[in-house]
Amino acid sequence: MKKLIAIIIGIIFLFNFILVPAQNDTSSDFDKAKQEEQKLVLELLNLEVERLKTQKSLDDLTIEIENLTVAIQEKYKEIQMVDKDIENEKEIVKTWFRFLYMDGTNAILSLLLMSQNSSELLHRLIYIDIVTNYFYNKLENLNKLVKYKREEENRLTSQRLQLIEKQKEQIELLKKIDELRLAKSQMLDEIKKKIADYQKIFAMADNLGKMFPSLDYLLSHLSQFPWDTLEYKDLSFSFFNVSASFTDVDVTKMIRSYSDKLKDLTVSFSKEGFEIKDDDLYTLKGNFVIEDNKIKLLINSLNIGDIKISGQLLQKILYGYDTTINIKIPVEGFKLKKVEAEEGYVKFTLEK
């Protein structure tokens, strides 16, 4: 009855302090975590859509800027060509005026006075006016063309600068989206870790029904196992002491043959002490101590999956169990002096 109470206390203690608590708060936290996970996944999906849109807009802007750059370069070439035409026309005008005025300002007057009559004079005046106006009009039109092309160049340059600013904004937006996406991804990873932890707790809770009956049976019968049937290895005698040992393989066979409930149990010895493992349900670890000329298992930890139980909680679970090993002393008049665990076996030293 006392052992059963200890098991119940252990289960209650586990559920209250380890499972936090599994039946109410953990389920509630798990549901919240799942909701938060779904929310973060939707937010990440939305960010991915925004990122794709922004990237497409950025690509379009880049293409448009490249096209405008080409157009500006073409306008610049056109302006250079018109400027060259203007210079050519100016040279033609200069040549014409040199011909018209000859060597001085009086040349045109002399040319006009050479007219034979008023009709010839009028024709010469009209001719001079036509030719002069033609070149001046041509120069004016060329200047207007240059002005128009410069305005076009300035407009395209201004448009390009605006697009470059917009491109910078899109790049900054893309950077912010990536930063936010990274932050959300990290949050999602944390949520997934929490969910994984909760699932481990639920899995452990599902195994509690299997674990505690098996653990209870082991601890209840630990001192009753037929330890005296074990065959001693390396038995040696001297006048003052006796030493003997038995292997973890023999101990495992003995315990498994004791009951089908312990058929998956494995015992192993090492320099650190002993380990008793029941498949994937639980693992007990500890050392050997001597009390009243008897060997006792001092259990230091109980592992359930990835969770290690020790301290007061472990003491509550172990309370009421007898962990004494009743081995047979091979020689009368000797007492247990030392117990040493080694890799694969445990050695006993007895003295008078």
Side-chain angles (χ1 to χ4, degrees), residues 8 82 208 214 219 231 288 320 331:
I8 294 172
V82 175
L208 283 176
S214 174
L219 295 175
E231 183 180 350
F288 299 96
V331 181

Side-chain angles (χ1 to χ4, degrees), residues 19-223:
L19 303 184
V20 199
Q23 294 176 336
N24 296 312
D25 294 344
T26 305
S27 297
S28 176
D29 291 343
F30 178 76
D31 292 337
K32 289 178 182 177
K34 290 295 289 183
Q35 291 174 4
E36 187 67 21
E37 180 190 36
Q38 185 176 2
K39 179 183 176 183
L40 284 169
V41 169
L42 291 174
E43 288 178 357
L44 280 168
L45 181 61
N46 180 60
L47 284 172
E48 188 62 28
V49 172
E50 289 296 322
R51 191 184 187 283
L52 290 173
K53 287 182 178 180
T54 304
Q55 186 64 56
K56 185 179 183 304
S57 177
L58 187 60
D59 293 341
D60 293 342
L61 283 170
T62 302
I63 294 172
E64 195 170 353
I65 289 170
E66 289 174 356
N67 292 336
L68 280 172
T69 302
V70 173
I72 290 168
Q73 290 173 350
E74 291 297 324
K75 288 294 177 184
Y76 179 73
K77 290 178 182 178
E78 291 176 10
I79 290 170
Q80 284 185 320
M81 291 175 65
V82 175
D83 282 339
K84 189 175 180 180
D85 290 341
I86 290 172
E87 292 299 321
N88 291 336
E89 290 299 323
K90 284 181 178 179
E91 289 299 323
I92 292 172
V93 171
K94 288 178 182 178
T95 303
W96 169 251
F97 274 101
R98 281 197 298 269
F99 168 76
L100 189 63
Y101 292 100
M102 296 180 182
D103 295 329
T105 55
N106 294 325
I108 190 170
L109 181 60
S110 300
L111 183 63
L112 292 174
L113 292 174
M114 287 173 62
S115 302
Q116 300 296 323
N117 51 49
S118 59
S119 176
E120 187 179 352
L121 176 63
L122 180 60
H123 282 117
R124 290 188 178 188
L125 286 171
I126 291 172
Y127 175 72
I128 292 170
D129 182 63
I130 289 172
V131 174
T132 304
N133 286 334
Y134 168 77
F135 283 108
Y136 275 124
N137 287 336
K138 193 169 185 180
L139 286 173
E140 185 179 0
N141 289 333
L142 287 171
N143 283 322
K144 286 180 179 179
L145 183 60
V146 170
K147 181 181 179 183
Y148 168 73
K149 290 188 177 294
R150 289 199 186 279
E151 288 175 353
E152 282 290 298
E153 182 187 34
N154 292 335
R155 182 183 65 80
L156 292 174
T157 301
S158 176
Q159 187 177 350
R160 181 176 178 273
L161 290 174
Q162 290 176 3
L163 289 176
I164 289 174
E165 286 299 317
K166 194 172 181 181
Q167 184 186 46
K168 290 179 181 178
E169 292 175 2
Q170 294 297 99
I171 291 172
E172 189 64 27
L173 178 60
L174 195 63
K175 181 181 177 182
K176 289 181 180 178
I177 289 174
D178 286 338
E179 289 174 353
L180 188 57
R181 188 174 62 167
L182 178 61
K184 293 290 183 181
S185 296
Q186 290 173 345
M187 291 173 63
L188 183 61
D189 289 340
E190 291 298 320
I191 290 293
K192 286 182 177 180
K193 287 179 182 178
K194 286 184 180 180
I195 290 173
D197 290 340
Y198 290 137
Q199 288 172 334
K200 286 181 182 178
I201 290 172
F202 292 144
M204 188 181 74
D206 291 337
N207 289 330
L208 283 176
K210 299 177 182 178
M211 183 204 73
F212 274 105
S214 174
L215 181 62
D216 174 55
Y217 187 85
L218 169 68
L219 295 175
S220 298
H221 295 80
L222 192 62
S223 62

